């Protein structure tokens, strides 16, 4: 199969990994899956009962909600640091509504998108926001423009990233913002782990670095206001469960094996770490 052109800078690409087939751009170093999974394959992936099992069972979801809200607070505080603290905020892939809950408490009017019906229902009840139980690509926003659009661990899942960016341009107000937290191939974890990097998953289509994500945003009418490592809060139990589910690499198997010897009291502790993601806040360029 002939390697496709890079969807960001149109440069030539080379195969860098198989199963799934990953291609790397020789210009901006974007790594992406080609061909991407079909709609039916993605539907099966996201409907699999194991997909969210690393969140723990229903008895521990309240604990997971707490650490998710701690991470969300870190992100919303980055917005407030840029003097962005009001307006309509859309969280694309809002899960159980942790970020929406924090954003509402900080003064935003909140909207969310969540394909999982169960999670969407919970997010609506918890946050009090308007939740769309559909795919981002399929929603028509009538008479609604957003001041902030957030992609927190969801940006890498889309099959056509340029159409997503065009939609973001269409649905944001003049001088509106887009926030992205996504796996970063400039990160230390990627350089150390290579093909064993935990972010390599079938449902992840794109893997950005600083150069490629800057090009993508600028090509679609956005200017970078902040770019830094994305910091998250985890419990050790969450990390253990995550690597038990996504145990396709030796690194994942090693981590889950080591943590299995930790006592439950220690596993309940939370830690704040850079997990190999990049955080980007960009502003729409007025036309």
């Amino acid at each position: 199969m002939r390697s496709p052109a890079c969807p960001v800078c149109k440069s030539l690409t080379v195969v860098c990994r198989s199963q799934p087939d990953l291609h790397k751009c020789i210009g901006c170093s974007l790594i992406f899956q080609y061909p991407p999974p079909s709609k039916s394959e993605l539907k099966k992936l996201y409907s699999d009962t194991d997909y969210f099992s690393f969140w723990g069972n229903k008895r521990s979801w309240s604990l997971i909600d707490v650490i998710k809200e701690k991470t969300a607070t870190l992100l919303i505080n980055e917005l407030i640091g840029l003097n962005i603290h009001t307006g309509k905020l859309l969280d694309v892939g809002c899960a159980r509504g942790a970020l929406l809950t924090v954003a509402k408490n900080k003064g935003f009017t909140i909207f969310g998108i969540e394909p999982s019906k169960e999670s969407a229902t919970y997010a609506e009840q918890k946050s009090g926001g308007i939740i769309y139980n559909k795919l981002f690509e399929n929603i028509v926003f009538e008479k609604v423009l957003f001041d902030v659009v957030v992609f927190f661990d969801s940006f890498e899942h889309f099959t056509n990233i340029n159409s997503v960016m065009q939609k973001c341009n269409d649905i944001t107000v003049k001088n509106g913002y887009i926030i992205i937290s996504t796996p970063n191939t400039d990160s230390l974890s990627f350089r150390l782990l290579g093909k064993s990097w935990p972010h390599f998953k079938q449902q992840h289509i794109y893997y950005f670095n600083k150069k490629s994500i800057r090009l993508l945003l600028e090509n679609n009418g956005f200017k970078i206001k902040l770019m830094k490592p994305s910091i998250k809060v985890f419990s050790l139990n969450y990390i253990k469960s995550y690597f038990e589910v996504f145990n396709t690499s030796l690194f994942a198997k090693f981590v889950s094996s080591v943590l299995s010897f930790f006592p439950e009291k220690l596993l309940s502790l939370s830690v704040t770490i850079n997990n190999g993601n990049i955080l980007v806040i960009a502003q729409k360029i007025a036309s």
Side-chain angles (χ1 to χ4, degrees), residues 233-253:
V233 178
F234 298 99
S235 70
L236 294 180
N237 208 9
Y238 181 98
I239 295 172
K240 176 176 175 288
S241 298
Y242 182 93
F243 283 122
E244 285 174 349
V245 173
F246 299 108
N247 63 349
T248 55
S249 70
L250 290 176
F251 175 76
K253 292 174 182 176

Side-chain angles (χ1 to χ4, degrees), residues 66-78:
V66 170
I67 64 172
K68 292 288 184 181
E69 287 184 21
K70 288 181 179 179
T71 296
T73 300
L74 295 174
L75 184 144
I76 296 299
N77 284 343
E78 294 286 359

Side-chain angles (χ1 to χ4, degrees), residues 64-131:
I64 298 298
D65 290 340
V66 170
I67 64 172
K68 292 288 184 181
E69 287 184 21
K70 288 181 179 179
T71 296
T73 300
L74 295 174
L75 184 144
I76 296 299
N77 284 343
E78 294 286 359
L79 278 178
I80 294 172
L82 293 174
N83 200 31
I84 309 164
H85 47 72
T86 188
K88 294 184 177 69
L89 181 146
L90 174 68
D91 184 8
V92 182
C94 68
R96 288 167 55 84
L99 189 142
L100 293 177
T101 300
V102 173
K104 182 180 180 180
N105 291 337
K106 296 289 187 178
F108 290 93
T109 302
I110 55 171
F111 300 78
I113 297 174
E114 178 49 52
S116 165
K117 186 174 181 179
E118 183 178 2
S119 294
T121 299
Y122 182 87
E124 188 170 50
Q125 293 171 348
K126 178 181 177 61
S127 70
I130 296 173
I131 310 297

Side-chain angles (χ1 to χ4, degrees), residues 33-265:
Q33 223 184 118
Y34 186 86
S38 65
K39 289 183 179 179
S40 60
E41 288 173 325
L42 287 173
K43 184 177 181 179
K44 183 180 178 181
L45 274 174
Y46 297 130
S47 62
D48 192 314
T49 55
D50 286 337
Y51 182 68
F52 285 111
S53 61
F54 63 88
W55 279 38
N57 57 43
K58 293 184 178 181
R59 289 173 298 175
S60 63
W61 277 357
S62 61
L63 300 177
I64 298 298
D65 290 340
V66 170
I67 64 172
K68 292 288 184 181
E69 287 184 21
K70 288 181 179 179
T71 296
T73 300
L74 295 174
L75 184 144
I76 296 299
N77 284 343
E78 294 286 359
L79 278 178
I80 294 172
L82 293 174
N83 200 31
I84 309 164
H85 47 72
T86 188
K88 294 184 177 69
L89 181 146
L90 174 68
D91 184 8
V92 182
C94 68
R96 288 167 55 84
L99 189 142
L100 293 177
T101 300
V102 173
K104 182 180 180 180
N105 291 337
K106 296 289 187 178
F108 290 93
T109 302
I110 55 171
F111 300 78
I113 297 174
E114 178 49 52
S116 165
K117 186 174 181 179
E118 183 178 2
S119 294
T121 299
Y122 182 87
E124 188 170 50
Q125 293 171 348
K126 178 181 177 61
S127 70
I130 296 173
I131 310 297
Y132 301 90
N133 181 215
K134 294 181 180 180
L135 295 175
F136 177 67
E137 305 95 309
N138 298 339
I139 300 174
V140 177
F141 299 98
E142 296 182 0
K143 300 180 181 180
V144 181
L145 290 177
F146 301 99
D147 299 274
V148 181
V149 178
V150 180
F151 294 88
F152 202 79
D153 291 338
S154 60
F155 198 65
E156 61 274 13
H157 290 250
F158 291 96
T159 56
N160 189 331
I161 206 66
N162 283 298
S163 66
V164 169
M165 287 304 309
Q166 183 57 58
K167 187 159 188 171
C168 286
N169 205 303
D170 292 340
I171 66 173
T172 47
V173 300
K174 180 181 178 180
N175 298 320
Y177 291 86
I178 180 173
I179 307 174
I180 300 166
S181 178
T182 191
N184 174 23
T185 58
D186 282 334
S187 64
L188 177 62
S189 63
F190 176 76
R191 294 198 297 269
L192 290 175
L193 297 173
K195 293 182 179 181
S196 295
W197 198 37
H199 288 296
F200 281 133
K201 303 174 189 174
Q202 190 176 357
Q203 58 267 36
H204 287 180
I205 314 300
Y206 295 95
Y207 302 90
F208 294 92
N209 60 6
K210 293 178 182 178
K211 182 178 181 179
S212 59
I213 201 162
R214 181 182 294 276
L215 280 173
L216 177 71
L217 288 163
E218 291 178 350
N219 290 346
N220 286 279
F222 288 85
K223 181 179 180 180
I224 303 289
K225 304 296 288 186
L226 180 147
M227 183 182 291
K228 62 187 292 186
S230 184
I231 306 300
K232 295 185 178 182
V233 178
F234 298 99
S235 70
L236 294 180
N237 208 9
Y238 181 98
I239 295 172
K240 176 176 175 288
S241 298
Y242 182 93
F243 283 122
E244 285 174 349
V245 173
F246 299 108
N247 63 349
T248 55
S249 70
L250 290 176
F251 175 76
K253 292 174 182 176
F254 172 76
V255 172
S256 61
S257 177
V258 169
L259 290 177
S260 67
F261 291 100
F262 281 38
E264 190 63 34
K265 187 175 182 179

